[in-house]
Amino acid sequence: MTDLEEFASNKVSLMKEKNLYRSLVETEKIEGVRIKRAGKNLISFACNDYLGMSMHPKVRAASIRALKKYSAGAGASRLITGNYPLYNDLERLIANIKEAQAACVFGSGYLANISVIPSLVGSGDLIIADKLVHACIIDGIKLSGAGFIRFTHNSLDSVANILKDRREKYNNCLIITENIFSMDGDKAPLEELYKLAEENKAWLLSDDAHGLYIKERSIGKNFIQMGTFSKAVGTYGGYVCGKKALIDYIKSSARGFMFSTALPPSIIAATKSSLQIIKDNKALSLKPIENACMFSKLLNLKEAESAIVPLIIGDSSKAVEYSKKLEEYGFYVPAIRPPTVPKGTARLRFSFSALHTKKQIEELVKIIKKEEIIK
Ligand SMILES: *Cc1c(COP(=O)(O)O)cnc(C)c1O
């Protein structure tokens, strides 16, 4: 047996050698997109708070009111005593926004994915997932015990071929993708995927964690929409929307729903308030993409499809070097390296917010050109 301390320090040394070691940097939001990171004031192009809702005065006020009225914590899972009144309101609101019959709120998006996937499929079933889906989807797939095949990113042909070869050998089949991919910012062809799913008696689950305008997406009866409140909504928690029967079933089977404590009232109240503001303000929801498009246009990149724009550098140490360079100019743009992204595709990942100004984006572009990060 290895001594535990020795075990951990050996692991850390190995990670450091391979450039896989991650360290935490104390970061504070100042105002809008301004952050203080390791004591330094920076403009952030890293946050998922796309609409600036986390700092919104009305959202914070709603949170404080709920904290005073109810409690600091929920005290138990929703099936025991944690189902305080705000929950039903929030589930009705998100279902309404998503044009679904019903919704189920989870502790986080991560928890939703690792809970819902094993509720839907298991041994004898098949999962076909996009090659670039998020880590928590992969974890949910592993927990499910279902057969698992990845399809080439956003390739309908690849999905069709897998279905043709394998569908018949399995009982139920679940296709999994993301509305917007978190490291590339591109969109999945959801309508076409749904059509393929229907033709092959499969279900479709899509993760809308990076969705911005939180609209539409009723798509069809065998469509499951998963999402999170921790990004554009600016608060915390995950959700799943779909047919009433599906949501009923999930509430009695998803382990991360049944065996985890409900979210605190202050969080649910903040989420409700934020969603209502977003729902009533379409122009605000469009702003992050407009900013991303302005940036991609100024740099002659492929037109942005979402608020996320990657600048592929390739080499990991080069990406880190560029990130540090931008920081010297007062901009925080993270370098994303393998294993988060495939080998040889280390990148700078720019996340645009509704609160970035034209001037900030122009200044950033000027520096990227001056430092020859893009030639
Ligand atoms: C962030 C993210 C999640 C996890 O959501 P949390 O609410 O932060 O746990 C799930 N899926 C995708 C695609 C994400 O980007």
Side-chain angles (χ1 to χ4, degrees):
M1 191 190 80
T2 323
D3 174 70
L4 194 52
E5 194 177 0
E6 192 185 319
F7 164 81
S9 54
N10 283 343
K11 285 280 186 197
V12 166
S13 305
L14 265 173
M15 286 171 141
K16 283 183 174 165
E17 262 170 45
K18 290 187 188 161
N19 237 330
L20 292 175
Y21 182 73
R22 321 260 173 137
S23 49
L24 290 166
V25 178
E26 195 164 282
T27 309
E28 191 186 335
K29 276 190 175 168
I30 307 291
E31 199 227 328
V33 290
R34 292 181 188 280
I35 60 167
K36 194 169 190 172
R37 200 171 147 82
K40 205 172 159 195
N41 286 310
L42 299 166
I43 306 287
S44 168
F45 284 89
C47 197
N48 299 321
D49 181 17
Y50 299 111
L51 304 174
M53 299 310 287
S54 74
M55 303 284 275
H56 198 293
K58 281 191 178 156
V59 173
R60 293 164 99 175
S63 183
I64 292 166
R65 278 199 305 276
L67 182 64
K68 286 184 173 163
K69 183 168 174 188
Y70 297 100
S71 53
S77 79
R78 288 190 46 206
L79 292 167
I80 310 296
T81 59
N83 195 37
Y84 46 86
L86 295 168
Y87 257 111
N88 286 334
D89 290 355
L90 175 60
E91 285 178 342
R92 235 176 288 135
L93 180 59
I94 186 66
N96 174 274
I97 289 170
K98 288 287 182 185
E99 298 184 350
Q101 277 184 355
C104 176
V105 171
F106 282 81
S108 70
Y110 196 113
L111 204 51
N113 274 333
I114 64 165
S115 306
V116 169
I117 298 168
S119 273
L120 296 174
V121 284
S123 165
D125 299 323
L126 175 66
I127 295 173
I128 309 176
D130 190 288
K131 205 150 203 157
L132 298 186
V133 294
H134 193 265
C136 66
I137 294 177
I138 301 294
D139 293 350
I141 292 170
K142 285 185 185 160
L143 277 173
S144 79
F148 171 38
I149 307 172
R150 291 176 175 234
F151 63 88
T152 308
H153 176 54
N154 274 348
S155 166
L156 293 166
D157 284 347
S158 174
V159 181
N161 285 333
I162 294 168
L163 283 165
K164 194 163 143 250
D165 287 351
R166 311 294 287 271
R167 175 69 190 92
E168 270 185 9
K169 301 185 180 77
Y170 293 88
N171 184 18
N172 288 320
C173 175
L174 177 66
I175 300 173
I176 307 181
T177 190
E178 297 182 11
N179 296 41
I180 292 166
F181 284 85
S182 55
M183 293 300 141
D184 294 78
D186 55 343
K187 285 184 186 166
L190 281 186
E191 270 77 12
E192 294 85 345
L193 273 174
Y194 187 73
K195 202 166 153 256
L196 259 180
E198 286 280 277
E199 285 164 7
N200 289 277
K201 298 193 167 45
W203 306 323
L204 177 64
L205 183 154
S206 189
D207 178 333
D208 196 24
H210 292 275
L212 301 178
Y213 13 46
I214 321 200
K215 58 168 190 188
E216 86 241 43
R217 297 306 176 213
S218 53
I219 295 195
K221 63 182 180 4
N222 292 312
F223 182 65
I224 308 137
Q225 180 72 86
M226 174 270 158
T228 176
F229 299 127
S230 55
K231 287 166 184 161
V233 184
T235 61
Y236 198 63
Y239 65 86
V240 178
C241 288
K243 288 286 179 196
K244 187 169 177 313
L246 171 76
I247 299 304
D248 268 355
Y249 166 65
I250 283 174
K251 286 180 176 170
S252 290
S253 66
R255 294 174 68 82
F257 177 82
M258 299 167 75
F259 303 113
S260 184
T261 300
L263 285 167
S266 53
I267 296 295
I268 298 294
T271 304
K272 249 181 72 184
S273 162
S274 174
L275 275 176
Q276 196 60 56
I277 295 167
I278 296 168
K279 189 174 181 235
D280 296 340
N281 190 349
K282 281 272 181 304
L284 174 74
S285 318
L286 293 172
K287 202 80 194 2
I289 298 192
E290 285 166 16
N291 282 340
C293 283
M294 174 186 162
F295 175 79
S296 57
K297 195 166 179 196
L298 285 171
L299 285 174
N300 288 323
L301 300 170
K302 184 168 80 70
E303 188 180 44
E305 291 177 48
S306 70
I308 303 160
V309 181
L311 201 57
I312 311 289
I313 305 296
D315 180 56
S316 288
S317 47
K318 200 89 194 155
V320 172
E321 185 192 311
Y322 286 146
S323 172
K324 283 192 182 139
K325 183 59 84 181
L326 291 175
E327 197 170 318
E328 285 169 23
Y329 287 97
F331 294 106
Y332 179 52
V333 181
I336 312 282
R337 296 167 285 168
T340 307
V341 292
K343 263 197 188 127
T345 71
R347 64 199 63 187
L348 291 174
R349 178 180 181 270
F350 300 84
S351 295
F352 290 88
S353 158
L355 305 183
H356 283 124
T357 63
K358 188 163 180 256
K359 209 169 141 225
Q360 286 166 342
I361 297 167
E362 282 170 350
E363 180 68 18
L364 176 66
V365 166
K366 209 173 87 190
I367 291 156
I368 290 170
K369 285 182 175 164
K370 179 170 160 231
E371 290 295 334
E372 299 190 342
I373 292 172
I374 197 168
K375 294 195 177 76

